Amino acid sequence: MTGSSSLSAGLRALRPAAFGADPGGERLARIQGSPHFKDGVFQNPGGTARTRPSGSMLEFAKLYFDKEQRPRRAPRGTIPVHATTVADLARPAASGLRVTWTGHSSVLAEIDGHRVLFDPVWGERCSPFPFAGPKRLHPVPLPLAALGPVDVVVISHDHYDHLDLPTIKALAGTDTLFAVPLGVGAHLEQWGVPADRLRELDWHEETKVGGLTLTATPARHFCGRGLRNTQHTLWASWVVAGEEHRIYHSGDTGYFEGFKDIGADHGPFDLTMIQIGAYSDFWPDIHMTPEEGVRAHLDLQGGGPQGVLLPIHWGTFNLAPHAWAEPGEWTKDAGDEVGQAVALPRPGEPFEPSGKLPADRWWRQVSAPIAQPWRRTVQPRIEAGPEPLNLAGEAVTPEADDLVK
């Protein structure tokens, strides 16, 4: 027994800090009591979503490591990053709403006198290890401290490209609050965030931060940071409503009919931040293509083009087989096709949705040519085969720690 205990302690000591902590105690009891938790896991809206790649690992590897296609997944030169200054962010937003996309899904939203920071990732890699995993394609536009005071940090889920250990540790030293999906608070407490600064919500629950109302809303995705995915932490999209403005952050999600319900309950929105990158026919249920992202925005707005769509989850990390700039190019085309305003800022470029939108295709300066038209040739859906395994004999997911995410 003593030897077994020593071995367990030794294995825990080898566990990377970035793996975080598993929920326990009252937090686990709350998870198990959630109406969205069944058969030992959180359930997706719209039925079961495949969280593992369709087809074999061999098929995926052939596509992912193809010598001709691989160079398309990185820029040919330096991605233009906007030189944001402290002064830029210190000036109040003239309209009361200003947003700054800093890359991937990280966005600073200044809304009705409050400052909300979504999915901040300032680390060099989205990985539990500093020496492996997807590395940034561009530097962060400005230091984290240069953002100034933040009222609340909002986390969509616990994957590495959305919940970043060094960034959370830096923010833990401030007095900001953290709004997170149910179960994710276990990671943050492990990393030094006091429990009294956590607002941990199930879907459809809300919390007040100053004059803002934050509501966790459904998304179609999954969770997990360790080698085993226990599905004990929830994933969410978020609605933030102020006195004058409303915004929406999708987190990671596949397309589902629930966008219409979210729009009916909380919209319309001045701005939606919609995930449109890292899609693949290998995992069609958990990430959206540009066409699906535009459709989701329209659903959220009651069916017609209004407000502004800000594409997120692209341009910063190489996480899928598509060309790195393809999501931006195709989202612009899909928006134009339906008359929807799409904001396409350079990383770090602040803009106000009610003003002149950044809309030039800046990525073309450093991108290989992207196939046109934007609609892809319809391909037969890849049939599900045996689940690909890692070296430990465990099924890998499209967000594995050091392959895709």
Side-chain angles (χ1 to χ4, degrees):
M1 184 67 70
T2 302
S4 177
S5 299
S6 298
L7 178 60
S8 297
L11 291 174
R12 284 195 298 271
L14 294 174
R15 176 186 172 101
F19 277 10
D22 295 325
E26 293 182 5
R27 178 176 281 117
L28 182 57
R30 189 177 167 208
I31 289 169
Q32 293 170 337
S34 167
H36 310 110
F37 192 82
K38 183 181 178 182
D39 299 328
V41 296
F42 279 111
Q43 303 291 320
N44 264 303
T48 302
R50 285 174 294 167
T51 61
R52 295 179 173 89
S54 301
S56 69
M57 179 56 82
L58 179 59
E59 290 175 312
F60 178 75
K62 284 180 179 178
L63 176 62
Y64 197 81
F65 295 108
D66 182 86
K67 290 182 179 179
E68 292 184 4
Q69 298 300 318
R70 195 174 183 183
R72 300 168 60 245
R73 300 204 304 273
R76 288 183 167 181
T78 302
I79 292 177
V81 174
H82 184 79
T84 312
T85 66
V86 175
D88 290 334
L89 300 178
R91 289 191 298 270
S95 66
L97 178 61
R98 179 171 61 204
V99 291
T100 306
W101 176 61
T102 62
H104 202 56
S105 296
S106 304
V107 183
L108 174 68
E110 300 166 87
I111 173 171
D112 298 340
H114 299 80
R115 308 176 96 235
V116 183
L117 184 59
F118 293 94
D119 284 356
V121 174
W122 258 249
E124 188 64 17
R125 296 181 184 271
C126 50
S127 166
F129 309 108
F131 54 84
K135 190 176 181 180
R136 285 184 165 275
L137 300 178
H138 65 80
V140 291
L142 74 170
L144 188 62
L147 292 180
V150 172
D151 294 291
V152 58
V153 173
V154 176
I155 303 297
S156 65
H157 63 297
D158 68 1
H159 285 148
Y160 289 98
D161 57 325
H162 297 261
L163 181 62
D164 179 55
L165 169 60
T167 304
I168 296 300
K169 281 196 167 185
L171 290 166
T174 70
D175 59 0
T176 187
L177 299 174
F178 292 82
V180 303
L182 189 55
V184 175
H187 300 312
L188 273 63
E189 285 192 48
Q190 178 86 355
W191 300 336
V193 177
D196 62 1
R197 283 168 47 202
L198 287 172
R199 308 286 179 86
E200 200 163 345
L201 306 184
D202 201 347
W203 290 339
H204 309 298
E205 292 182 342
E206 65 179 40
T207 188
K208 300 281 188 180
V209 176
L212 301 179
T213 300
L214 285 73
T215 307
T217 47
R220 189 165 166 79
H221 200 56
F222 69 114
C223 65
R225 293 180 73 83
L227 293 177
R228 295 186 181 276
N229 179 8
T230 60
Q231 295 289 78
H232 279 178
T233 60
L234 189 59
W235 49 96
S237 56
W238 288 87
V239 171
V240 178
E243 294 181 0
E244 300 292 335
H245 297 92
R246 290 174 176 266
I247 58 177
Y248 171 85
H249 189 284
S250 72
D252 276 4
T253 182
Y255 178 81
F256 68 115
E257 291 295 318
F259 290 117
K260 297 175 183 177
D261 297 328
I262 296 170
D265 292 341
H266 302 284
F269 299 97
D270 299 280
L271 174 87
T272 69
M273 296 158 272
I274 302 290
Q275 172 263 306
I276 48 81
Y279 46 83
S280 172
D281 290 333
F282 281 91
W283 49 85
D285 297 340
I286 54 173
H287 282 162
M288 290 191 291
T289 65
E291 180 186 14
E292 290 171 328
V294 171
R295 191 191 319 162
H297 172 89
L298 298 178
D299 288 350
L300 290 161
Q301 303 290 38
Q306 63 175 306
V308 174
L309 188 164
L310 172 64
I312 59 172
H313 203 261
W314 75 286
T316 302
F317 297 107
N318 175 4
L319 301 176
H322 62 66
W324 75 272
E326 184 180 281
E329 185 81 24
W330 286 1
T331 302
K332 171 64 172 169
D333 290 347
D336 288 349
E337 188 172 89
V338 297
Q340 174 57 52
V342 176
L344 295 161
R346 291 165 175 78
E349 182 178 2
F351 71 94
E352 300 192 28
S354 63
K356 182 179 179 181
L357 299 180
D360 67 299
R361 304 185 194 229
W362 50 265
W363 52 86
R364 289 184 174 180
Q365 303 172 35
V366 289
S367 171
I370 298 171
Q372 295 287 348
W374 67 273
R375 288 186 183 277
R376 293 179 294 168
T377 301
V378 176
Q379 299 175 353
R381 186 65 63 84
I382 298 168
E383 294 297 327
E387 292 180 352
L389 303 179
N390 63 18
L391 295 179
E394 298 162 322
V396 299
T397 74
E399 302 194 43
D401 299 335
D402 60 354
L403 177 59
V404 178
K405 284 191 184 179

